[in-house]
Amino acid sequence: MKRALSLAALLAACAPAERPPEPVGFASLPVAAFAAGGTLTDAWADFDGDRDPDRFVGFNGEPSRLYRNDGGGAFTDVAANVGLFVSRRVRASAWGDFDGDGDPDLLLGYAPDSLVSGVLALWRNDVGTSFTDVTADVGLALEAGATRQPSWVDYDGDRDLDLFLALRDAPNRMWRNDAGVFTDVSGESQLADPRRSVGAVWFDADEDGDLDVFVANMDGDANGMLVNEGGRFYDRAEVWGLAAGGRSLGNEAQGTVRPCLVDFDRDGHLDLSTANYGPNGLFRNPGRSALWQDVAPAMGLAVDGHYDTCAWADFDHDGWPDVYVNGTVTGGVSYPDHLYRREGEAFVDVTPPAILVEADHGANWVDFDGDGDVDLALTGTAEGATHALVQNLLRPEVAFHSLKVRVLDAEGRATLAGSEVRVYAAGTFDLLGTGVVDTGSGYDAQSDLPLHFGLPGAEPVDLEVTLVGAGKRIPSRIAGLDPAGYRGRVVTIRLDEQGAVVR
């Protein structure tokens, strides 16, 4: 007599066979200007309002460039044309609509220069046609400091963008935005951390309705997990198991450079990955501030080296986030870059030769060509480095198995950094992916880009968008979106306290 199959075995027997992995194919875009090296920071936003992403690149001594995306793989440097000719060494860049007029403005952090005063500049975007330096007018003049990660983020929940700045050689700074004028609240907020900071990312780590910040520190300093309690911040990194970030504490040769957010296990909680000098880390968020677990060793990501960036995206549209980490060049050693694809319970190195371009100063995933998949923008200062834009060659029939989601406030302004988006199979609570609106995920950079979700099969989905701030988490659900109806377009969602409207 045959034994009856257990329920688990029956379900396994009936499950469809797993789709074989997509071929990994990338090719550098043949734009001659991108061959220039000496690039320190790279940030993307649609500065001119024509619905495609443009690229700012800061150089280590050469004039900065603002590339207007003209479609078809064509980019034109318009920095001088729009008044953004900057000849100083640019260490940091961040796009954010500080004045709430509907277009992204650009904050730049400069390397100190004995011949020129100031290390911070805020360039106001005037309808995508010109930029004006308003630094002194708005109260953001900063005379000295090694600028690193800037983040436009609404830390106090009053619906405008405040500014956080990590500094490598001085206490970090926080400015509160009041109708476009900034007040330094570093001391009263307890964010004036004197540790040697280089990276930061903001999110609702304890899921209590306000934004917290993980700060990455170098030279053996412990990282900070600074939890927002009514506008004052308290460090929980040690008790949560995040102080080391996967590397050694007290070792001057080790530190954390870049923290990134990702829901790698698709449980709805935002996990934290760290690009380190030392072994990289990946910390599973247990929800509600319990001990976070480093799963990088078990999943094949704890590579020991010197890494600057962790850039997460589902590049192959299998429904699981993958990660690109870039090695830096230090002590005469060029540490290799890696593209890790999620395969089962581990990450597998699938790095193709096309993306090995000495990207020692950052990486961004961006769908520059609107074909549905994400491409890779790279920057570097090492010999032979470029600021290459590497096109993802995912098969066309798979490239549009995706959805891009942009979150705006009720007036259509991009002021809701830190908002969370979850994608579910239509009519269910089967979670397909989680993302957070960018709060500083680049290498000393912040972009203003839509969230990207790979959706194998491109079946209809529901979106849940959660507004975070002022001690509240306000979810809104949009039902029955068909990805096929958004090919080449972005799902734009406006949030207010009464709900969300798809436009």
Side-chain angles (χ1 to χ4, degrees), residues 40-41 59 89-93 109-111 147-148 361 443-444:
L40 288 168
T41 184
F59 282 75
R89 296 171 60 205
V90 177
R91 285 303 317 245
S93 56
Y110 301 137
T147 59
R148 291 300 187 264
H361 270 76
Y443 180 87
D444 297 340

Side-chain angles (χ1 to χ4, degrees), residues 151-294:
S151 294
W152 291 109
V153 62
D154 182 11
Y155 90 99
D156 54 1
D158 65 353
R159 302 295 185 265
D160 59 18
L161 290 176
D162 312 298
L163 178 64
F164 173 84
L165 179 66
L167 292 165
R168 185 73 164 77
D169 62 349
N172 297 331
R173 304 292 286 269
M174 185 80 213
W175 288 272
R176 187 185 66 229
N177 185 352
D178 297 304
V181 177
F182 291 86
T183 301
D184 189 336
V185 295
S186 309
E188 66 186 70
S189 66
Q190 301 183 157
L191 286 170
D193 191 332
R195 290 176 288 192
R196 291 159 287 190
S197 302
V198 291
V201 67
W202 289 74
F203 65 117
D204 189 4
D206 55 0
E207 301 176 7
D208 68 346
D210 49 31
L211 295 178
D212 316 297
V213 58
F214 180 89
V215 180
N217 296 320
M218 285 293 288
D219 303 315
D221 287 347
N223 299 320
M225 181 65 254
L226 304 175
V227 176
N228 189 344
E229 302 280 353
R232 295 174 71 86
F233 290 78
Y234 302 88
D235 194 353
R236 301 285 187 262
E238 184 174 353
V239 296
W240 288 9
L242 296 173
R247 41 80 183 188
S248 298
L249 292 178
N251 182 345
E252 289 277 332
Q254 295 200 359
T256 299
V257 180
R258 176 62 40 214
C260 296
L261 299 173
V262 60
D263 181 12
F264 80 93
D265 52 4
R266 292 196 338 204
D267 67 352
H269 299 295
L270 291 167
D271 309 301
L272 186 68
S273 83
T274 52
N276 293 330
Y277 282 20
N280 293 330
L282 177 61
F283 292 84
R284 176 179 281 125
N285 182 350
R288 293 291 180 177
S289 70
L291 186 67
W292 296 49
Q293 179 188 6
D294 186 6

Side-chain angles (χ1 to χ4, degrees), residues 92 117 121 126 147 183-184 195 205 238 282 294 317 348 365 369 384-385 423 432 446 452 484:
S117 64
D126 298 315
T147 59
T183 301
D184 189 336
R195 290 176 288 192
E238 184 174 353
L282 177 61
D294 186 6
H317 293 175
V348 176
W365 292 102
D369 51 7
V423 181
L432 304 178
Q446 180 177 4
H452 169 269

Side-chain angles (χ1 to χ4, degrees), residues 41 56-66 77-93 106-111 113 116 118-123 131-133 135:
T41 184
F56 174 84
V57 179
F59 282 75
N60 188 25
E62 297 296 322
S64 299
R65 301 180 187 179
L66 177 61
D77 180 12
V78 297
N81 302 32
V82 299
L84 200 58
F85 183 84
V86 176
S87 59
R88 293 186 60 180
R89 296 171 60 205
V90 177
R91 285 303 317 245
S93 56
L106 182 61
L107 182 93
L108 299 181
Y110 301 137
D113 187 332
V116 186
V119 294
L120 206 60
L122 177 57
W123 294 85
F131 286 81
T132 303
D133 186 345
T135 314

Side-chain angles (χ1 to χ4, degrees), residues 258-265 271-275 281-283 299 301 309-315 320-325 340-342 347 363-365 374 376 441 452:
R258 176 62 40 214
C260 296
L261 299 173
V262 60
D263 181 12
F264 80 93
D265 52 4
D271 309 301
L272 186 68
S273 83
T274 52
L282 177 61
F283 292 84
M299 302 193 74
L301 291 179
T309 293
C310 43
W312 289 84
D314 181 7
F315 81 89
W320 293 96
D322 314 293
V323 62
Y324 179 89
V325 295
Y340 291 103
R341 175 160 59 191
R342 177 72 180 270
F347 289 86
N364 285 303
W365 292 102
V374 283
L376 191 60
S441 63
H452 169 269

